[in-house]
Amino acid sequence: MRIAIFHRQLDPTASQQVAQLTSLLQQRGAEIIDIDPATTPMPKPDFDALLSVGGDGTLLSSVHLIGESGIPVIGVNYGHLGFLTTVGQEVAPEQLVDDIVSGNYSIEERTLLHIDSSIPSAAPCTALNEISLRREYADLLRVNLYVDDEFVAAYEGDGVIVATPTGSTAYSLSCGGPILTPNSGCFVITPI
Protein backbone atom coordinates (compact mmCIF):
# COMPACT_ATOMS: atom_id res chain seq x y z
CA MET A 1 0.00 0.00 0.00
CA ARG A 2 1.38 3.41 -1.02
CA ILE A 3 0.12 6.34 1.03
CA ALA A 4 0.93 9.98 0.33
CA ILE A 5 0.93 12.45 3.19
CA PHE A 6 0.20 16.06 2.23
CA HIS A 7 0.58 18.93 4.66
CA ARG A 8 1.55 22.54 4.92
CA GLN A 9 3.52 24.09 7.74
CA LEU A 10 2.46 22.35 10.93
CA ASP A 11 2.88 23.33 14.56
CA PRO A 12 5.25 21.16 16.65
CA THR A 13 2.46 19.00 18.11
CA ALA A 14 0.98 18.25 14.69
CA SER A 15 4.46 17.56 13.28
CA GLN A 16 5.04 14.98 16.02
CA GLN A 17 1.72 13.33 15.27
CA VAL A 18 2.47 13.21 11.52
CA ALA A 19 5.82 11.58 12.35
CA GLN A 20 3.99 9.06 14.55
CA LEU A 21 1.42 8.34 11.80
CA THR A 22 4.23 7.86 9.29
CA SER A 23 6.10 5.50 11.60
CA LEU A 24 2.98 3.45 12.40
CA LEU A 25 2.04 3.14 8.73
CA GLN A 26 5.57 2.05 7.82
CA GLN A 27 5.50 -0.56 10.61
CA ARG A 28 2.34 -1.94 9.01
CA GLY A 29 4.10 -2.23 5.63
CA ALA A 30 2.92 0.97 3.94
CA GLU A 31 5.22 2.91 1.66
CA ILE A 32 5.01 6.61 2.54
CA ILE A 33 5.30 9.46 0.06
CA ASP A 34 5.73 12.73 1.93
CA ILE A 35 4.41 15.67 -0.07
CA ASP A 36 5.38 19.12 1.14
CA PRO A 37 4.21 21.70 -1.41
CA ALA A 38 6.87 24.18 -0.31
CA THR A 39 9.79 21.92 -1.19
CA THR A 40 8.56 19.05 -3.35
CA PRO A 41 7.32 19.25 -6.93
CA MET A 42 3.83 17.80 -7.11
CA PRO A 43 4.08 14.18 -8.24
CA LYS A 44 1.77 12.44 -10.64
CA PRO A 45 -0.70 10.59 -8.41
CA ASP A 46 0.80 7.13 -8.01
CA PHE A 47 -0.45 6.10 -4.59
CA ASP A 48 -3.42 4.28 -3.08
CA ALA A 49 -4.62 6.98 -0.68
CA LEU A 50 -3.76 10.52 0.34
CA LEU A 51 -3.67 11.68 3.95
CA SER A 52 -4.36 15.41 3.96
CA VAL A 53 -3.08 16.68 7.31
CA GLY A 54 -4.16 20.17 8.32
CA GLY A 55 -7.46 21.97 8.01
CA ASP A 56 -10.07 22.49 5.34
CA GLY A 57 -7.75 24.67 3.22
CA THR A 58 -5.16 21.90 3.13
CA LEU A 59 -7.81 19.39 2.12
CA LEU A 60 -9.02 21.64 -0.69
CA SER A 61 -5.43 22.05 -1.91
CA SER A 62 -4.91 18.29 -1.85
CA VAL A 63 -7.65 17.86 -4.45
CA HIS A 64 -5.32 19.51 -6.98
CA LEU A 65 -2.84 16.68 -6.39
CA ILE A 66 -5.23 13.90 -7.26
CA GLY A 67 -7.47 15.67 -9.77
CA GLU A 68 -10.05 13.27 -11.11
CA SER A 69 -7.97 10.14 -10.42
CA GLY A 70 -10.44 8.69 -7.89
CA ILE A 71 -7.74 8.27 -5.23
CA PRO A 72 -9.36 8.52 -1.78
CA VAL A 73 -8.43 11.49 0.40
CA ILE A 74 -8.46 11.10 4.18
CA GLY A 75 -8.70 14.50 5.82
CA VAL A 76 -6.97 14.57 9.21
CA ASN A 77 -7.85 17.78 11.03
CA TYR A 78 -5.00 19.66 12.66
CA GLY A 79 -6.54 22.99 11.67
CA HIS A 80 -9.23 25.03 13.34
CA LEU A 81 -12.71 24.21 12.05
CA GLY A 82 -12.21 20.96 10.15
CA PHE A 83 -15.65 21.02 8.51
CA LEU A 84 -14.47 19.03 5.49
CA THR A 85 -11.95 16.77 7.20
CA THR A 86 -13.05 13.30 8.25
CA VAL A 87 -10.74 12.52 11.17
CA GLY A 88 -10.40 14.77 14.20
CA GLN A 89 -7.54 15.12 16.62
CA GLU A 90 -9.42 12.98 19.14
CA VAL A 91 -8.80 9.85 17.02
CA ALA A 92 -5.66 8.09 18.19
CA PRO A 93 -3.03 7.63 15.46
CA GLU A 94 -2.97 3.87 16.17
CA GLN A 95 -6.74 3.65 15.53
CA LEU A 96 -6.46 5.66 12.31
CA VAL A 97 -3.67 3.43 11.01
CA ASP A 98 -5.57 0.26 11.97
CA ASP A 99 -8.65 1.52 10.11
CA ILE A 100 -6.65 2.44 6.99
CA VAL A 101 -4.70 -0.82 6.82
CA SER A 102 -7.73 -3.04 7.57
CA GLY A 103 -10.01 -1.17 5.15
CA ASN A 104 -12.34 -0.16 7.97
CA TYR A 105 -13.64 2.99 6.31
CA SER A 106 -16.21 4.12 3.80
CA ILE A 107 -15.64 6.28 0.76
CA GLU A 108 -17.90 9.26 0.28
CA GLU A 109 -17.88 10.45 -3.31
CA ARG A 110 -17.98 14.20 -3.90
CA THR A 111 -18.78 16.17 -7.03
CA LEU A 112 -15.85 18.00 -8.59
CA LEU A 113 -15.64 20.82 -11.09
CA HIS A 114 -13.21 20.43 -13.97
CA ILE A 115 -12.26 23.81 -15.36
CA ASP A 116 -10.91 24.42 -18.86
CA SER A 117 -10.32 27.92 -20.15
CA SER A 118 -9.99 29.46 -23.57
CA ILE A 119 -7.27 31.70 -22.13
CA PRO A 120 -3.95 30.17 -23.30
CA SER A 121 -2.10 30.88 -20.03
CA ALA A 122 -4.78 29.25 -17.86
CA ALA A 123 -4.09 25.59 -17.09
CA PRO A 124 -7.00 23.17 -16.59
CA CYS A 125 -7.75 22.47 -12.94
CA THR A 126 -10.10 20.61 -10.63
CA ALA A 127 -12.07 22.19 -7.78
CA LEU A 128 -13.88 20.61 -4.85
CA ASN A 129 -15.55 23.82 -3.63
CA GLU A 130 -16.20 26.36 -6.35
CA ILE A 131 -14.92 28.61 -9.06
CA SER A 132 -15.66 32.30 -9.18
CA LEU A 133 -15.52 34.65 -12.14
CA ARG A 134 -14.69 38.20 -11.12
CA ARG A 135 -13.06 41.25 -12.59
CA GLU A 136 -9.69 42.35 -11.28
CA TYR A 137 -10.92 45.93 -11.34
CA ALA A 138 -14.21 47.66 -10.50
CA ASP A 139 -16.01 47.44 -13.88
CA LEU A 140 -19.27 45.55 -14.18
CA LEU A 141 -18.87 41.93 -15.25
CA ARG A 142 -21.25 40.73 -17.92
CA VAL A 143 -21.65 36.95 -18.13
CA ASN A 144 -23.78 34.91 -20.50
CA LEU A 145 -24.27 31.57 -18.81
CA TYR A 146 -24.73 28.38 -20.81
CA VAL A 147 -25.19 24.84 -19.52
CA ASP A 148 -24.49 22.13 -22.10
CA ASP A 149 -24.63 24.77 -24.86
CA GLU A 150 -28.10 25.91 -23.75
CA PHE A 151 -28.49 29.55 -22.72
CA VAL A 152 -29.56 29.88 -19.06
CA ALA A 153 -29.19 33.52 -18.06
CA ALA A 154 -27.28 36.75 -18.47
CA TYR A 155 -25.74 38.27 -15.35
CA GLU A 156 -24.37 41.73 -14.72
CA GLY A 157 -22.62 42.36 -11.44
CA ASP A 158 -19.41 41.75 -9.56
CA GLY A 159 -19.15 38.13 -10.67
CA VAL A 160 -20.61 34.64 -10.69
CA ILE A 161 -19.86 31.62 -8.50
CA VAL A 162 -20.30 28.03 -9.67
CA ALA A 163 -20.22 25.78 -6.61
CA THR A 164 -20.33 22.05 -6.01
CA PRO A 165 -22.53 20.69 -3.21
CA THR A 166 -19.41 20.70 -0.99
CA GLY A 167 -18.77 24.33 -1.85
CA SER A 168 -22.39 25.35 -1.39
CA THR A 169 -21.64 26.14 2.27
CA ALA A 170 -18.65 28.35 1.42
CA TYR A 171 -18.45 31.50 -0.73
CA SER A 172 -21.74 30.76 -2.51
CA LEU A 173 -23.66 30.65 0.79
CA SER A 174 -22.16 33.97 1.90
CA CYS A 175 -23.52 35.49 -1.36
CA GLY A 176 -27.04 34.16 -0.73
CA GLY A 177 -26.81 30.77 -2.43
CA PRO A 178 -28.57 27.62 -1.15
CA ILE A 179 -27.06 24.74 0.81
CA LEU A 180 -26.96 21.42 -1.04
CA THR A 181 -26.45 17.95 0.38
CA PRO A 182 -23.17 16.33 -0.77
CA ASN A 183 -24.91 13.58 -2.75
CA SER A 184 -27.35 15.85 -4.63
CA GLY A 185 -25.34 15.83 -7.87
CA CYS A 186 -26.26 19.50 -8.47
CA PHE A 187 -24.26 22.66 -8.95
CA VAL A 188 -25.10 26.10 -7.58
CA ILE A 189 -24.83 29.20 -9.76
CA THR A 190 -24.77 32.28 -7.55
CA PRO A 191 -24.46 35.84 -8.88
CA ILE A 192 -22.24 38.17 -6.88
Side-chain angles (χ1 to χ4, degrees):
M1 174 178 269
R2 299 186 75 198
I3 298 178
I5 298 180
F6 176 76
H7 57 85
R8 295 181 179 161
Q9 186 174 357
L10 297 171
D11 64 39
T13 302
S15 291
Q16 289 173 352
Q17 293 184 333
V18 168
Q20 183 181 12
L21 273 173
T22 299
S23 175
L24 289 168
L25 284 163
Q26 288 172 328
Q27 289 172 22
R28 299 288 298 269
E31 179 185 347
I32 302 299
I33 302 162
D34 187 28
I35 301 173
D36 181 352
T39 59
T40 306
M42 297 305 169
K44 182 178 179 182
D46 185 23
F47 35 84
D48 301 304
L50 174 71
L51 281 177
S52 174
V53 181
D56 289 347
T58 303
L59 186 120
L60 290 169
S61 294
S62 69
V63 171
H64 295 286
L65 290 174
I66 62 164
E68 298 173 49
S69 67
I71 294 171
V73 177
I74 304 161
V76 182
N77 182 31
Y78 287 113
H80 300 287
L81 180 60
F83 180 72
L84 296 175
T85 56
T86 53
V87 179
Q89 296 178 30
E90 71 281 353
V91 175
E94 295 84 4
Q95 182 62 51
L96 175 59
V97 169
D98 284 345
D99 288 344
I100 292 170
V101 172
S102 68
N104 184 25
Y105 54 83
S106 61
I107 295 177
E108 182 177 297
E109 293 192 14
R110 295 288 177 120
T111 303
L112 299 174
L113 287 168
H114 178 80
I115 299 101
D116 286 315
S117 174
S118 60
I119 300 170
S121 62
C125 67
T126 302
L128 177 61
N129 256 11
E130 78 268 318
I131 61 163
S132 61
L133 303 173
R134 298 178 295 182
R135 288 247 189 232
E136 291 183 32
Y137 43 89
D139 284 354
L140 193 66
L141 180 67
R142 291 177 176 86
V143 175
N144 289 324
L145 178 69
Y146 292 81
V147 174
D148 295 330
D149 295 324
E150 186 175 325
F151 178 76
V152 175
Y155 295 109
E156 291 186 357
D158 292 333
V160 175
I161 302 164
V162 179
T164 66
T166 302
S168 71
T169 57
Y171 189 28
S172 175
L173 180 63
S174 69
C175 291
I179 296 173
L180 301 177
T181 58
N183 60 354
S184 68
C186 299
F187 292 103
V188 176
I189 300 167
T190 307
I192 306 171

